[in-house]
Amino acid sequence: MADLDIAANLEEVRRRVALAAERSGRAPSAVDLLVVTKTWPPGVIAQVVEAGHSLLGENKLQEAESKIPELPTSLQWHFIGHLQRNKARRALGIFDVIHSVDSLRLARHLDRIAGEMGKRPQVYLQINAEGEQTKGGFGLDDLGETVREVVSLERIHLAGLMSIPPAVAHPEDARDSFRRLRELRDGLEKELEVSLPGLSMGMSHDFEVAIEEGATIVRVGSSIFGPRKHLRSTSH
Ligand SMILES: *Cc1c(COP(=O)(O)O)cnc(C)c1O
């Protein structure tokens, strides 16, 4: 895809994000756009950077480690894939935010490693409310206890909840799932008297619906870069 297309796509997605934010009664600045760069080489990613975008997401540690050094150091990188505990140190070396904390053991481990590294990363708990076998994440059982413990950890800061809802034919079909995540968050805030402002939900296909239902950060790749060609590396 030519440079102009990527810059124009980015502009168009930003415009749609802002309009959806306004429909949800919020300022456009209340919703962050995480541009998902997985499978794209640094030369392609540079095009969104040159267009003024600095909030980027990757889902594979090794791929990120090879690409990030090729790009400006001013960028902020978020990790959105499954993270193995034994890679926590490497991940915290390059990522400021982890969207995909999917077990209490991982949360505790990240907290310990962050302490050793003198870092204060933000994390989201990945929720798998539908119990899909192919995806990680917390089910709803004992979620209150889990959140209570993660909030109590000293080094990692719990920003909120994240989800990857089942693929649907029409964006509107994802609305219930997004709304349920928001209601789950609202319930936890009330029950535990904690603040969980962040909702990481919505991708290329359905980010406007996610924003209407309260997303504070949407993760968008193919609407900006076009379809990913390397199918093997697109899985979650
Ligand atoms: C790939 C990916 C995205 C972006 O998907 P698009 O449909 O290309 O926008 C968002 N979130 C996660 C967790 C992903 O792995």
Side-chain angles (χ1 to χ4, degrees):
M1 195 180 289
D3 299 22
L4 262 181
D5 289 342
I6 290 179
N9 291 346
L10 174 66
E11 202 46 51
E12 173 65 9
V13 168
R14 278 179 169 160
R15 193 182 66 82
R16 290 167 57 194
V17 165
L19 287 173
E22 276 162 15
R23 284 197 298 280
S24 77
R26 291 178 292 162
S29 61
V31 182
D32 285 325
L33 171 62
L34 184 71
V35 171
V36 175
T37 53
K38 66 189 186 191
T39 78
W40 298 104
V44 172
I45 301 170
Q47 294 171 33
V48 291
V49 175
E50 279 154 24
H53 200 81
S54 59
L55 191 59
L56 306 173
E58 284 280 335
N59 73 332
K60 292 208 159 57
L61 185 60
Q62 201 171 340
E63 180 183 338
E65 284 174 331
S66 76
K67 288 164 22 177
I68 291 175
E70 310 274 320
L71 288 154
T73 54
S74 55
L75 306 175
Q76 196 191 24
W77 292 94
H78 290 200
F79 191 70
I80 60 171
H82 173 64
L83 182 60
Q84 291 166 263
R85 279 194 304 285
N86 63 4
K87 294 182 180 160
R89 190 178 302 274
R90 280 162 55 195
L92 292 182
I94 49 181
F95 293 101
D96 301 308
V97 183
I98 313 279
H99 286 239
S100 41
V101 172
D102 56 5
S103 75
L104 203 41
R105 290 179 72 196
L106 175 62
R108 291 177 185 136
H109 189 67
L110 282 167
D111 190 63
R112 185 164 67 74
I113 302 295
E116 288 174 18
M117 297 173 79
K119 296 207 173 233
R120 313 291 302 247
Q122 281 199 31
V123 304
Y124 293 79
L125 298 184
Q126 183 174 342
I127 305 298
N128 183 356
E130 280 87 2
E132 288 179 280
Q133 296 289 328
T134 53
K135 287 173 193 160
F138 292 94
L140 303 184
D141 295 346
D142 304 325
L143 188 59
E145 280 310 302
T146 302
V147 169
R148 200 190 298 276
E149 176 168 345
V150 175
V151 166
S152 77
L153 296 172
E154 297 215 331
R155 294 298 177 153
I156 60 177
H157 176 76
L158 182 59
L161 307 181
M162 174 270 209
S163 75
I164 310 172
V168 289
H170 190 273
E172 202 54 45
D173 300 339
R175 186 179 295 278
D176 279 352
S177 173
F178 294 137
R179 180 179 298 144
R180 281 198 300 271
L181 193 72
R182 167 167 49 84
E183 290 172 351
L184 179 65
R185 184 277 309 272
D186 293 348
L188 288 164
E189 284 190 322
K190 219 168 175 188
E191 177 194 334
L192 304 172
E193 299 184 319
V194 297
S195 167
L196 298 172
L199 285 177
S200 169
M201 57 185 194
M203 309 181 6
S204 286
H205 186 54
D206 51 22
F207 67 87
E208 287 155 302
V209 175
I211 292 168
E212 287 167 12
E213 293 301 331
T216 58
I217 182 164
V218 292
R219 312 178 305 264
V220 178
S222 45
S223 286
I224 292 163
F225 295 109
R228 288 176 290 272
K229 287 146 198 124
H230 313 290
L231 288 178
R232 271 188 66 238
S233 41
T234 59
S235 64
H236 300 306

